Structures are given as C-alpha cells and as structure tokens.
Amino acid sequence: MRIQVIRDGGVSGVERRAALDTEGRPDAPHIHALAREVLSSGTRTASFGVPDGFHYAITVDERGTVYCTEPQLTDGQRDLIGLVLAQGR
Amino acid sequence: MPCTGSSAPGAVPPYPRPRPGRAPEPTARRTVHDGHHQHTLPGPVVRTEGSAPVADQAVDHAYDGLGDTFAFYLDAYGRRSVDGRGLPLDATVHYGVHYDNAFWNGRQMVFGDGDGTLFQDFTGCVEIIGHELTHGVTQYSANLDYQGQSGALNESVSDVFGSLVKQYALGQTADRADWLIGAGLLAPGVQGVALRSLKAPGTAYHDARLGTDPQPATMAGYLDTEADNGGVHLNSGIPNHAFYLAAEALGGHAWERAGQIWYDVLTGGRLPSDADFAAFATATADAARARYGPGAELRAVQAAWTTVGVGAGVGAESTAGTSDATRINAPLRPA
C-alpha cells in the first residue's frame, strides 16, 4: 500500500508532501487499518478550514483521496499524517 | 537571530498605558494555557491577566504578544480586542509535538513549539501573534472569504497589521521597520530571514529544505493555483507590497495614516467578503479620500496599487469621487 500526504496552509504557507510504501514493513497491518479508517472518515472534497490551519490531502493507492483540516482531525488521521510525514519520502 | 518586538521576557508589559485623569483602560483579559504537547484545547491555565511571569518562555512570550497586539489596536484605532467588544484573549502554547504552526481557531490562539529543524517556537515573534489575532479581527469585521483573492487579502491584512503591531511596540517609523513576518522564526541553518517580506516579497528565504519564497510582489507574478486555498499565502505578497509602498511613501509611523486607511476598509462594513484585489484597491483609495481628502495620502495609495499592477483607473475615478460597483468587483486577470 502506498500512502501519500500533502500538507499545505499553515502560517508559513509552505507545502510539504511525503509518500510511504508499506510493503515489507512489520507494522504494515497497523498502517493499513489506519488508512482504511482515514478513507472512511475523511471527506472527498477539500474544505477551507480555519485561517492558517493546516490542510491535508491523503491519497491511498488508487482507492481515493480524502481531505481534512486542523484542528478537526481524528486521532486516526493525526496518527497516519504524522507517520507518513515523519517516515515517508 | 532572536525575534524582537515583544515586551522583554519576564517583564510585566506596560499595557494598557495609564492615562492620567481618565477612566481605567480596558484590559486584554489574557489567559494562557499549556497544551502539554497534546491536541486538546485549551488545556490547563498557566497564566492569567495581571499575574506574574512564569518559568516558561513560551507562556510569557504569548502573554506579552497578546498584550502588545491588544494595546496596538486599542491605542492606534480605539478597538477593544479582536471583536471590538473586549473579547478575552486566550492562547494555548506547546500545542502538539514539534508542531510547526500557529493559528487562530476562531476562538483562541494556538501555538506550536516548532520542530527546531525548520522553525523555532512560534510564540517568539510578535508579528506572528499580531498576524493571527488579526485573523480574529477580520473574522469580526470584513470576514473575507479564505480562498482566492479574498483569501489572499485576508492573509495580507494579517501580515500588514502583524507588522504594524511590531512597529508600534518598537516605536519604529516606516523607514526603520524590517517589514518581515516571522523574523527569527527560521531555525539555525535555514537560509533566510523570515517567512515573508512586505518590502521585498519573494526574498524572505532560499533554502534546500524550505524551498524558495514564492511570493510575487506584483500582478505580473500572480500565481494561479488551487493549492493553499488558491494561493492565499502566495498572492498576498501583492497587496502586502502595495501597503508597504503606500506606507513608505507617506513616511512616519505606518500605523497612523496607511494603517488607518487599511483599518477603515477592513472595519468599514462596506467591503464584500468576496472582495478581489481591485475592489480592495478601490476601497483603500475611497477610504484615503474620505479620511484625508484628495492629498498625499490618496496619491500614495493610488501610486502603490498602480505599481503592483492592481486597479488601473482607481486613481482617476477615486479622485473624481465616483465609484463604479461593476468595475470594482470585476475579476482581475493576472498580468
């Protein structure tokens, strides 16, 4: 499974993007569960959020893209975003 | 280089300034909370209005920056807090872990500590605090839609008044100000001086990790994009530079005339929430003429917008005292 996160907005306005491939990772089942939860909980259209809040677009394989904004993130969204931005490339 | 402009850490801020013989001034009614690196807001209270500094620089910087911003709006424009009615100012520091942001969530300020690699503590820059609280002022006044050109104007007025908060706190004239947003916010080793420059948009940073400051200074560089809510942090460089040019031409304290004109537009109740750059430019020319007459202020505003490529014809029609609503609201095409 390949998961891509694009973060934009924030007071800096600097975009950040990263992608994580779960193949061969020992924690792949956990990440897959997170990804499925995020796909089911996110919205399919971008929203504007609060001024200077981060906006996220999360794409999982060909299964689609969901959007979410700070500070209204679920724990699952926050965990997945944090993982991909920290360990993805 | 550390951020500057806020009251000295550990000092009790001088605001509100006493005015002998007058009734006590309103107070900022500040409350600072500690997020303890979680994402639950607001978190436990760690400092309240009038209480002594604590052994946490982020708490005291946030407290002082809220006070600086409150004092600026009250003294410069007679505005009582972000809503004009004395809204208490709440802030949470230490939000999240290595969180690279600060924002106004519609009710309070939220500050991250920065990751230490790209950004440092976001409470350290008074213009960032002024920027975020001005999002609150906009929310309670023009309420500019946070997308496209109206979103870029929303960002721009936050940059303008954020910089003016710093200039006011330091007592600086326009020619002495740095006109930077986020001066000192960049972590050691990052090649740059700040997040944005009103004086020279597009020059604030050039770094292998952070990239290059993408802001245009004029409509010739307008960025047509869907990212960042339609480039709200990108194209804001254009109205930012227009304000700088007007303030620089007028000289003196930028909050007194240029800032007053921008404040009149923001809070005047006539700017539509979907205003584009041309509408805002015309509104500033109208506000300049209404407050100061057809003099240096109006000419400075007209020349500034002309230089950045916005609102051709604003000068002639505004000087004549006419205003064409159709023209004002017409979409502006990138040059």
mmCIF file of all heavy atoms in Angstrom, chain B residues 102-145:
data_model
loop_
_atom_site.group_PDB
_atom_site.id
_atom_site.type_symbol
_atom_site.label_atom_id
_atom_site.label_comp_id
_atom_site.label_asym_id
_atom_site.label_seq_id
_atom_site.Cartn_x
_atom_site.Cartn_y
_atom_site.Cartn_z
ATOM 1 N N ALA B 102 1.198 28.101 13.970
ATOM 2 C CA ALA B 102 0.392 28.862 14.919
ATOM 3 C C ALA B 102 -0.863 29.263 14.164
ATOM 4 O O ALA B 102 -0.801 29.566 12.970
ATOM 5 C CB ALA B 102 1.138 30.105 15.410
ATOM 6 N N PHE B 103 -2.000 29.240 14.832
ATOM 7 C CA PHE B 103 -3.224 29.633 14.137
ATOM 8 C C PHE B 103 -4.273 30.146 15.108
ATOM 9 O O PHE B 103 -4.191 29.908 16.320
ATOM 10 C CB PHE B 103 -3.784 28.469 13.301
ATOM 11 C CG PHE B 103 -4.190 27.241 14.076
ATOM 12 C CD1 PHE B 103 -5.498 27.083 14.510
ATOM 13 C CD2 PHE B 103 -3.273 26.238 14.366
ATOM 14 C CE1 PHE B 103 -5.888 25.956 15.213
ATOM 15 C CE2 PHE B 103 -3.655 25.097 15.066
ATOM 16 C CZ PHE B 103 -4.966 24.960 15.498
ATOM 17 N N TRP B 104 -5.236 30.864 14.554
ATOM 18 C CA TRP B 104 -6.408 31.352 15.280
ATOM 19 C C TRP B 104 -7.548 30.422 14.895
ATOM 20 O O TRP B 104 -7.875 30.289 13.721
ATOM 21 C CB TRP B 104 -6.718 32.796 14.854
ATOM 22 C CG TRP B 104 -8.059 33.322 15.252
ATOM 23 C CD1 TRP B 104 -9.167 33.442 14.457
ATOM 24 C CD2 TRP B 104 -8.440 33.843 16.533
ATOM 25 N NE1 TRP B 104 -10.199 33.987 15.170
ATOM 26 C CE2 TRP B 104 -9.789 34.240 16.440
ATOM 27 C CE3 TRP B 104 -7.775 34.005 17.756
ATOM 28 C CZ2 TRP B 104 -10.490 34.794 17.510
ATOM 29 C CZ3 TRP B 104 -8.464 34.563 18.821
ATOM 30 C CH2 TRP B 104 -9.796 34.956 18.689
ATOM 31 N N ASN B 105 -8.119 29.730 15.862
ATOM 32 C CA ASN B 105 -9.115 28.709 15.510
ATOM 33 C C ASN B 105 -10.548 29.233 15.504
ATOM 34 O O ASN B 105 -11.493 28.448 15.483
ATOM 35 C CB ASN B 105 -8.984 27.499 16.446
ATOM 36 C CG ASN B 105 -9.598 27.744 17.819
ATOM 37 O OD1 ASN B 105 -9.924 28.873 18.175
ATOM 38 N ND2 ASN B 105 -9.749 26.686 18.587
ATOM 39 N N GLY B 106 -10.668 30.545 15.517
ATOM 40 C CA GLY B 106 -11.989 31.163 15.545
ATOM 41 C C GLY B 106 -12.371 31.634 16.934
ATOM 42 O O GLY B 106 -13.245 32.483 17.087
ATOM 43 N N ARG B 107 -11.684 31.089 17.948
ATOM 44 C CA ARG B 107 -11.978 31.476 19.329
ATOM 45 C C ARG B 107 -10.731 31.782 20.147
ATOM 46 O O ARG B 107 -10.784 32.509 21.123
ATOM 47 C CB ARG B 107 -12.750 30.357 20.041
ATOM 48 C CG ARG B 107 -14.138 30.156 19.483
ATOM 49 C CD ARG B 107 -14.942 29.205 20.329
ATOM 50 N NE ARG B 107 -14.336 27.878 20.393
ATOM 51 C CZ ARG B 107 -14.864 26.860 21.072
ATOM 52 N NH1 ARG B 107 -15.959 27.035 21.773
ATOM 53 N NH2 ARG B 107 -14.285 25.681 21.045
ATOM 54 N N GLN B 108 -9.606 31.209 19.754
ATOM 55 C CA GLN B 108 -8.390 31.387 20.547
ATOM 56 C C GLN B 108 -7.155 31.196 19.669
ATOM 57 O O GLN B 108 -7.232 30.708 18.547
ATOM 58 C CB GLN B 108 -8.357 30.376 21.696
ATOM 59 C CG GLN B 108 -8.151 28.933 21.221
ATOM 60 C CD GLN B 108 -7.585 28.055 22.327
ATOM 61 O OE1 GLN B 108 -8.335 27.379 23.009
ATOM 62 N NE2 GLN B 108 -6.259 28.074 22.509
ATOM 63 N N MET B 109 -5.998 31.578 20.242
ATOM 64 C CA MET B 109 -4.709 31.365 19.593
ATOM 65 C C MET B 109 -4.170 29.988 19.954
ATOM 66 O O MET B 109 -4.345 29.511 21.071
ATOM 67 C CB MET B 109 -3.697 32.402 20.084
ATOM 68 C CG MET B 109 -3.799 33.769 19.461
ATOM 69 S SD MET B 109 -3.382 33.757 17.737
ATOM 70 C CE MET B 109 -1.930 32.721 17.716
ATOM 71 N N VAL B 110 -3.469 29.383 18.988
ATOM 72 C CA VAL B 110 -2.816 28.089 19.217
ATOM 73 C C VAL B 110 -1.372 28.204 18.707
ATOM 74 O O VAL B 110 -1.152 28.641 17.573
ATOM 75 C CB VAL B 110 -3.549 26.958 18.466
ATOM 76 C CG1 VAL B 110 -2.870 25.618 18.750
ATOM 77 C CG2 VAL B 110 -5.023 26.905 18.858
ATOM 78 N N PHE B 111 -0.415 27.823 19.553
ATOM 79 C CA PHE B 111 0.997 27.940 19.188
ATOM 80 C C PHE B 111 1.704 26.591 19.295
ATOM 81 O O PHE B 111 1.600 25.902 20.323
ATOM 82 C CB PHE B 111 1.741 28.882 20.145
ATOM 83 C CG PHE B 111 1.286 30.308 20.104
ATOM 84 C CD1 PHE B 111 0.421 30.789 21.069
ATOM 85 C CD2 PHE B 111 1.726 31.173 19.120
ATOM 86 C CE1 PHE B 111 0.014 32.107 21.058
ATOM 87 C CE2 PHE B 111 1.317 32.498 19.094
ATOM 88 C CZ PHE B 111 0.455 32.968 20.066
ATOM 89 N N GLY B 112 2.450 26.244 18.260
ATOM 90 C CA GLY B 112 3.342 25.100 18.337
ATOM 91 C C GLY B 112 4.736 25.540 18.744
ATOM 92 O O GLY B 112 5.076 26.718 18.676
ATOM 93 N N ASP B 113 5.541 24.553 19.137
ATOM 94 C CA ASP B 113 6.920 24.832 19.552
ATOM 95 C C ASP B 113 7.887 24.887 18.380
ATOM 96 O O ASP B 113 9.041 25.282 18.548
ATOM 97 C CB ASP B 113 7.409 23.737 20.512
ATOM 98 C CG ASP B 113 6.657 23.754 21.832
ATOM 99 O OD1 ASP B 113 6.184 24.832 22.235
ATOM 100 O OD2 ASP B 113 6.538 22.684 22.446
ATOM 101 N N GLY B 114 7.427 24.452 17.189
ATOM 102 C CA GLY B 114 8.347 24.316 16.072
ATOM 103 C C GLY B 114 9.145 23.028 16.194
ATOM 104 O O GLY B 114 9.266 22.458 17.289
ATOM 105 N N ASP B 115 9.652 22.558 15.060
ATOM 106 C CA ASP B 115 10.391 21.285 15.081
ATOM 107 C C ASP B 115 11.874 21.482 15.355
ATOM 108 O O ASP B 115 12.621 20.508 15.498
ATOM 109 C CB ASP B 115 10.184 20.525 13.775
ATOM 110 C CG ASP B 115 10.713 21.279 12.558
ATOM 111 O OD1 ASP B 115 11.311 22.363 12.731
ATOM 112 O OD2 ASP B 115 10.514 20.795 11.438
ATOM 113 N N GLY B 116 12.312 22.736 15.429
ATOM 114 C CA GLY B 116 13.719 23.006 15.696
ATOM 115 C C GLY B 116 14.616 22.793 14.495
ATOM 116 O O GLY B 116 15.798 23.138 14.537
ATOM 117 N N THR B 117 14.063 22.228 13.435
ATOM 118 C CA THR B 117 14.832 21.990 12.216
ATOM 119 C C THR B 117 14.540 23.061 11.167
ATOM 120 O O THR B 117 15.450 23.632 10.561
ATOM 121 C CB THR B 117 14.497 20.604 11.635
ATOM 122 O OG1 THR B 117 14.825 19.616 12.609
ATOM 123 C CG2 THR B 117 15.284 20.347 10.363
ATOM 124 N N LEU B 118 13.241 23.325 10.966
ATOM 125 C CA LEU B 118 12.835 24.392 10.046
ATOM 126 C C LEU B 118 12.410 25.640 10.817
ATOM 127 O O LEU B 118 12.759 26.756 10.447
ATOM 128 C CB LEU B 118 11.676 23.915 9.163
ATOM 129 C CG LEU B 118 12.004 22.837 8.131
ATOM 130 C CD1 LEU B 118 10.731 22.423 7.393
ATOM 131 C CD2 LEU B 118 13.047 23.337 7.136
ATOM 132 N N PHE B 119 11.618 25.403 11.868
ATOM 133 C CA PHE B 119 11.043 26.536 12.600
ATOM 134 C C PHE B 119 11.308 26.409 14.089
ATOM 135 O O PHE B 119 11.352 25.309 14.640
ATOM 136 C CB PHE B 119 9.528 26.614 12.368
ATOM 137 C CG PHE B 119 9.145 26.762 10.926
ATOM 138 C CD1 PHE B 119 8.458 25.763 10.268
ATOM 139 C CD2 PHE B 119 9.481 27.908 10.222
ATOM 140 C CE1 PHE B 119 8.103 25.890 8.937
ATOM 141 C CE2 PHE B 119 9.129 28.049 8.882
ATOM 142 C CZ PHE B 119 8.450 27.041 8.234
ATOM 143 N N GLN B 120 11.401 27.580 14.735
ATOM 144 C CA GLN B 120 11.529 27.637 16.186
ATOM 145 C C GLN B 120 10.160 27.985 16.793
ATOM 146 O O GLN B 120 9.162 28.076 16.076
ATOM 147 C CB GLN B 120 12.588 28.670 16.562
ATOM 148 C CG GLN B 120 13.934 28.405 15.872
ATOM 149 C CD GLN B 120 15.041 29.268 16.400
ATOM 150 O OE1 GLN B 120 15.677 28.949 17.398
ATOM 151 N NE2 GLN B 120 15.292 30.385 15.712
ATOM 152 N N ASP B 121 10.162 28.190 18.089
ATOM 153 C CA ASP B 121 8.941 28.463 18.834
ATOM 154 C C ASP B 121 8.139 29.621 18.199
ATOM 155 O O ASP B 121 8.660 30.720 18.027
ATOM 156 C CB ASP B 121 9.324 28.815 20.269
ATOM 157 C CG ASP B 121 8.134 29.125 21.136
ATOM 158 O OD1 ASP B 121 6.992 28.959 20.686
ATOM 159 O OD2 ASP B 121 8.363 29.545 22.293
ATOM 160 N N PHE B 122 6.883 29.342 17.895
ATOM 161 C CA PHE B 122 6.064 30.341 17.210
ATOM 162 C C PHE B 122 5.606 31.476 18.124
ATOM 163 O O PHE B 122 5.054 32.463 17.642
ATOM 164 C CB PHE B 122 4.861 29.663 16.542
ATOM 165 C CG PHE B 122 5.208 28.967 15.257
ATOM 166 C CD1 PHE B 122 5.882 27.753 15.261
ATOM 167 C CD2 PHE B 122 4.885 29.533 14.036
ATOM 168 C CE1 PHE B 122 6.232 27.120 14.074
ATOM 169 C CE2 PHE B 122 5.222 28.904 12.840
ATOM 170 C CZ PHE B 122 5.895 27.693 12.862
ATOM 171 N N THR B 123 5.781 31.334 19.452
ATOM 172 C CA THR B 123 5.408 32.451 20.329
ATOM 173 C C THR B 123 6.464 33.550 20.313
ATOM 174 O O THR B 123 6.235 34.620 20.855
ATOM 175 C CB THR B 123 5.251 31.996 21.796
ATOM 176 O OG1 THR B 123 6.524 31.515 22.270
ATOM 177 C CG2 THR B 123 4.204 30.898 21.928
ATOM 178 N N GLY B 124 7.609 33.268 19.695
ATOM 179 C CA GLY B 124 8.737 34.188 19.785
ATOM 180 C C GLY B 124 8.642 35.412 18.911
ATOM 181 O O GLY B 124 9.447 36.334 19.067
ATOM 182 N N CYS B 125 7.676 35.449 17.986
ATOM 183 C CA CYS B 125 7.585 36.571 17.051
ATOM 184 C C CYS B 125 6.287 37.327 17.277
ATOM 185 O O CYS B 125 5.194 36.809 17.014
ATOM 186 C CB CYS B 125 7.617 36.077 15.609
ATOM 187 S SG CYS B 125 9.193 35.387 15.124
ATOM 188 N N VAL B 126 6.410 38.563 17.712
ATOM 189 C CA VAL B 126 5.205 39.347 18.000
ATOM 190 C C VAL B 126 4.382 39.595 16.741
ATOM 191 O O VAL B 126 3.155 39.691 16.792
ATOM 192 C CB VAL B 126 5.572 40.667 18.717
ATOM 193 C CG1 VAL B 126 6.292 41.625 17.778
ATOM 194 C CG2 VAL B 126 4.323 41.308 19.309
ATOM 195 N N GLU B 127 5.042 39.670 15.567
ATOM 196 C CA GLU B 127 4.272 39.913 14.346
ATOM 197 C C GLU B 127 3.466 38.679 13.948
ATOM 198 O O GLU B 127 2.432 38.795 13.273
ATOM 199 C CB GLU B 127 5.172 40.377 13.195
ATOM 200 C CG GLU B 127 6.111 39.330 12.619
ATOM 201 C CD GLU B 127 7.455 39.303 13.321
ATOM 202 O OE1 GLU B 127 7.540 39.727 14.484
ATOM 203 O OE2 GLU B 127 8.443 38.863 12.679
ATOM 204 N N ILE B 128 3.923 37.500 14.362
ATOM 205 C CA ILE B 128 3.137 36.285 14.124
ATOM 206 C C ILE B 128 1.882 36.318 15.014
ATOM 207 O O ILE B 128 0.775 35.978 14.578
ATOM 208 C CB ILE B 128 3.971 35.021 14.424
ATOM 209 C CG1 ILE B 128 5.112 34.884 13.406
ATOM 210 C CG2 ILE B 128 3.080 33.776 14.422
ATOM 211 C CD1 ILE B 128 4.690 34.431 12.024
ATOM 212 N N ILE B 129 2.057 36.726 16.256
ATOM 213 C CA ILE B 129 0.907 36.827 17.164
ATOM 214 C C ILE B 129 -0.057 37.889 16.649
ATOM 215 O O ILE B 129 -1.271 37.672 16.610
ATOM 216 C CB ILE B 129 1.393 37.142 18.589
ATOM 217 C CG1 ILE B 129 2.282 35.988 19.091
ATOM 218 C CG2 ILE B 129 0.205 37.372 19.520
ATOM 219 C CD1 ILE B 129 2.922 36.232 20.447
ATOM 220 N N GLY B 130 0.473 39.019 16.223
ATOM 221 C CA GLY B 130 -0.381 40.058 15.645
ATOM 222 C C GLY B 130 -1.079 39.582 14.385
ATOM 223 O O GLY B 130 -2.252 39.899 14.149
ATOM 224 N N HIS B 131 -0.373 38.821 13.578
ATOM 225 C CA HIS B 131 -0.951 38.259 12.351
ATOM 226 C C HIS B 131 -2.149 37.368 12.700
ATOM 227 O O HIS B 131 -3.229 37.504 12.116
ATOM 228 C CB HIS B 131 0.120 37.447 11.617
ATOM 229 C CG HIS B 131 -0.376 36.665 10.440
ATOM 230 N ND1 HIS B 131 -0.113 37.022 9.135
ATOM 231 C CD2 HIS B 131 -1.112 35.523 10.369
ATOM 232 C CE1 HIS B 131 -0.678 36.141 8.320
ATOM 233 N NE2 HIS B 131 -1.291 35.217 9.046
ATOM 234 N N GLU B 132 -1.951 36.464 13.645
ATOM 235 C CA GLU B 132 -3.015 35.511 13.971
ATOM 236 C C GLU B 132 -4.210 36.202 14.611
ATOM 237 O O GLU B 132 -5.362 35.903 14.279
ATOM 238 C CB GLU B 132 -2.472 34.405 14.878
ATOM 239 C CG GLU B 132 -1.414 33.525 14.220
ATOM 240 C CD GLU B 132 -1.894 32.901 12.924
ATOM 241 O OE1 GLU B 132 -3.103 32.672 12.781
ATOM 242 O OE2 GLU B 132 -1.057 32.660 12.038
ATOM 243 N N LEU B 133 -3.956 37.111 15.526
ATOM 244 C CA LEU B 133 -5.084 37.810 16.151
ATOM 245 C C LEU B 133 -5.817 38.683 15.146
ATOM 246 O O LEU B 133 -7.025 38.907 15.275
ATOM 247 C CB LEU B 133 -4.601 38.635 17.344
ATOM 248 C CG LEU B 133 -4.187 37.822 18.567
ATOM 249 C CD1 LEU B 133 -3.609 38.726 19.655
ATOM 250 C CD2 LEU B 133 -5.375 37.038 19.137
ATOM 251 N N THR B 134 -5.122 39.160 14.136
ATOM 252 C CA THR B 134 -5.801 39.938 13.097
ATOM 253 C C THR B 134 -6.741 39.055 12.282
ATOM 254 O O THR B 134 -7.749 39.542 11.749
ATOM 255 C CB THR B 134 -4.780 40.670 12.210
ATOM 256 O OG1 THR B 134 -4.009 41.550 13.034
ATOM 257 C CG2 THR B 134 -5.470 41.477 11.116
ATOM 258 N N HIS B 135 -6.450 37.761 12.180
ATOM 259 C CA HIS B 135 -7.454 36.876 11.582
ATOM 260 C C HIS B 135 -8.761 36.942 12.389
ATOM 261 O O HIS B 135 -9.853 36.838 11.829
ATOM 262 C CB HIS B 135 -6.939 35.440 11.525
ATOM 263 C CG HIS B 135 -6.011 35.158 10.378
ATOM 264 N ND1 HIS B 135 -6.331 35.458 9.066
ATOM 265 C CD2 HIS B 135 -4.781 34.603 10.349
ATOM 266 C CE1 HIS B 135 -5.328 35.100 8.275
ATOM 267 N NE2 HIS B 135 -4.375 34.586 9.023
ATOM 268 N N GLY B 136 -8.614 37.116 13.695
ATOM 269 C CA GLY B 136 -9.804 37.300 14.523
ATOM 270 C C GLY B 136 -10.485 38.628 14.230
ATOM 271 O O GLY B 136 -11.717 38.698 14.135
ATOM 272 N N VAL B 137 -9.697 39.684 14.081
ATOM 273 C CA VAL B 137 -10.277 40.991 13.738
ATOM 274 C C VAL B 137 -11.038 40.891 12.415
ATOM 275 O O VAL B 137 -12.167 41.386 12.281
ATOM 276 C CB VAL B 137 -9.173 42.064 13.651
ATOM 277 C CG1 VAL B 137 -9.746 43.386 13.150
ATOM 278 C CG2 VAL B 137 -8.497 42.247 15.004
ATOM 279 N N THR B 138 -10.433 40.250 11.441
ATOM 280 C CA THR B 138 -11.094 40.085 10.138
ATOM 281 C C THR B 138 -12.372 39.258 10.284
ATOM 282 O O THR B 138 -13.400 39.564 9.674
ATOM 283 C CB THR B 138 -10.126 39.406 9.143
ATOM 284 O OG1 THR B 138 -8.982 40.251 8.980
ATOM 285 C CG2 THR B 138 -10.791 39.187 7.787
ATOM 286 N N GLN B 139 -12.295 38.216 11.093
ATOM 287 C CA GLN B 139 -13.480 37.378 11.325
ATOM 288 C C GLN B 139 -14.647 38.218 11.832
ATOM 289 O O GLN B 139 -15.801 37.993 11.439
ATOM 290 C CB GLN B 139 -13.123 36.302 12.354
ATOM 291 C CG GLN B 139 -14.292 35.461 12.852
ATOM 292 C CD GLN B 139 -13.864 34.545 13.995
ATOM 293 O OE1 GLN B 139 -12.726 34.068 14.019
ATOM 294 N NE2 GLN B 139 -14.752 34.309 14.943
ATOM 295 N N TYR B 140 -14.361 39.213 12.680
ATOM 296 C CA TYR B 140 -15.411 40.036 13.259
ATOM 297 C C TYR B 140 -15.683 41.311 12.465
ATOM 298 O O TYR B 140 -16.465 42.150 12.905
ATOM 299 C CB TYR B 140 -15.053 40.409 14.699
ATOM 300 C CG TYR B 140 -15.243 39.272 15.674
ATOM 301 C CD1 TYR B 140 -14.171 38.505 16.100
ATOM 302 C CD2 TYR B 140 -16.511 38.961 16.162
ATOM 303 C CE1 TYR B 140 -14.344 37.464 17.000
ATOM 304 C CE2 TYR B 140 -16.696 37.929 17.060
ATOM 305 C CZ TYR B 140 -15.603 37.173 17.477
ATOM 306 O OH TYR B 140 -15.795 36.144 18.366
ATOM 307 N N SER B 141 -15.034 41.479 11.317
ATOM 308 C CA SER B 141 -15.272 42.700 10.528
ATOM 309 C C SER B 141 -15.570 42.321 9.073
ATOM 310 O O SER B 141 -16.688 41.906 8.767
ATOM 311 C CB SER B 141 -14.082 43.659 10.658
ATOM 312 O OG SER B 141 -12.862 43.022 10.318
ATOM 313 N N ALA B 142 -14.609 42.443 8.182
ATOM 314 C CA ALA B 142 -14.879 42.192 6.757
ATOM 315 C C ALA B 142 -15.142 40.716 6.471
ATOM 316 O O ALA B 142 -15.767 40.387 5.458
ATOM 317 C CB ALA B 142 -13.698 42.677 5.913
ATOM 318 N N ASN B 143 -14.660 39.842 7.336
ATOM 319 C CA ASN B 143 -14.884 38.391 7.198
ATOM 320 C C ASN B 143 -14.573 37.902 5.788
ATOM 321 O O ASN B 143 -15.378 37.197 5.153
ATOM 322 C CB ASN B 143 -16.324 38.042 7.576
ATOM 323 C CG ASN B 143 -16.483 36.563 7.901
ATOM 324 O OD1 ASN B 143 -15.529 35.900 8.297
ATOM 325 N ND2 ASN B 143 -17.677 36.040 7.701
ATOM 326 N N LEU B 144 -13.409 38.262 5.308
ATOM 327 C CA LEU B 144 -13.002 37.916 3.940
ATOM 328 C C LEU B 144 -12.933 36.413 3.742
ATOM 329 O O LEU B 144 -12.309 35.698 4.537
ATOM 330 C CB LEU B 144 -11.640 38.552 3.649
ATOM 331 C CG LEU B 144 -11.667 40.080 3.507
ATOM 332 C CD1 LEU B 144 -10.293 40.687 3.791
ATOM 333 C CD2 LEU B 144 -12.154 40.477 2.122
ATOM 334 N N ASP B 145 -13.573 35.934 2.682
ATOM 335 C CA ASP B 145 -13.578 34.505 2.372
ATOM 336 C C ASP B 145 -12.143 34.005 2.239
ATOM 337 O O ASP B 145 -11.326 34.621 1.539
ATOM 338 C CB ASP B 145 -14.316 34.234 1.062
ATOM 339 C CG ASP B 145 -15.787 34.581 1.151
ATOM 340 O OD1 ASP B 145 -16.303 34.685 2.280
ATOM 341 O OD2 ASP B 145 -16.412 34.761 0.086
#
